[in-house]
Amino acid sequence: MDDADHIEVPVGPAAAWRNTTHDWAGSVDTGHLSRIRADAAAFAPGGLRHLVLEVVAYAADEAESRGRGRCTVTLHADGSVSVADDGRGTDTRFDDAGRPVRKPVMATKDLRFFDHPEPPPLPDGHPRRGMSVVAALSAWLVHTNRRAGGAWTQRYEYGVPATGLTPVADDGTTGTLVHFRPAEPLPAPGGPDGPGTPGGPRGPASAGTAAWAGSWPYLSVEVDDRRTGVSRPRPRPPRAGRSG
């Protein structure tokens, strides 16, 4: 089957579940992922920094729904990045056979943004498209979510699941961890030697994310740069707000 026509549909009641951000009826849309990979410059115009902001935006959504939240962005020595939050964990439900089904945030389009004629901008000024952009442009991505009813992890390669949804031990916390490594160097503002260069002294994920953390008033963000051992916390606490 051609990738453009390949949408995996899970067995069970997912087709009847109410769609908010993603379509529960489809678990993997390879045509959507291929479209992103075919035009990385359009979907990740800020390079690594933009991908990090795409992930942090979901943590900000969760923080706003709860009135406050925390998020840590870690830059690892191997070139990968992880984003961990203390929210409720990615929505995961159970089908008629009792099998967990996680909202397909990595492998299908975000219904709010992707095909919208005027999607909201991220703090870098570029359109928000959704988590699938990060997954599609990553050689690998591991998505771990901890909820009150269980915890699971799954590995993706170029946005396509490489493993099943695997249970992990409950550690008493809730939240979501997204750990990814971009497949190849992405375009960055300032050219190859400019301030947007990944890994440079003012790399985009560290300097940019820390500087723009204030764009999300309900979210407290810390950037832990393990390439240099420098941590960049945002001391300003999140503004009190409504709870979801």
Side-chain angles (χ1 to χ4, degrees), residues 54-215:
E54 288 276 17
V55 182
V56 175
Y58 282 85
D61 288 344
E62 176 68 4
E64 183 172 359
S65 74
R66 298 167 57 236
R68 64 187 303 145
R70 298 189 309 274
C71 172
T72 300
V73 178
T74 303
L75 285 82
H76 300 274
D78 65 354
S80 66
V81 179
S82 60
V83 180
D85 69 53
D86 65 346
R88 295 165 294 180
T90 308
D91 194 358
T92 305
R93 305 176 185 184
F94 295 87
D95 65 15
D96 291 336
R99 294 169 297 199
V101 180
R102 189 165 60 192
K103 184 184 289 187
V105 298
M106 298 298 170
T108 68
K109 69 180 65 176
D110 192 312
L111 302 173
R112 300 169 296 173
F113 311 126
F114 197 84
D115 290 325
H116 195 285
E118 295 183 4
L122 288 169
D124 61 0
H126 298 300
R128 182 180 180 184
R129 299 294 187 182
M131 196 80 81
S132 60
V133 169
V134 183
L137 297 178
S138 294
W140 56 263
L141 180 151
V142 178
H143 178 193
T144 303
N145 66 309
R146 297 181 178 277
R147 291 177 63 81
W152 301 268
T153 190
Q154 189 169 23
R155 179 185 173 95
Y156 299 78
E157 295 176 1
Y158 298 95
V160 178
T163 69
L165 195 58
T166 305
V168 295
D170 182 5
D171 66 358
T173 67
T174 63
T176 299
L177 171 64
V178 177
H179 189 184
F180 67 97
R181 183 171 184 175
E184 58 187 42
L186 295 167
D193 299 316
T197 302
R202 297 179 58 201
S206 56
T209 303
W212 289 327
S215 300

Side-chain angles (χ1 to χ4, degrees), residues 1 3 14 86 90 126 134 149 187-188 201 221 224 233 239-240:
M1 180 181 294
D3 278 354
D86 65 346
T90 308
H126 298 300
V134 183
V221 179
D224 181 5
R239 185 179 66 194

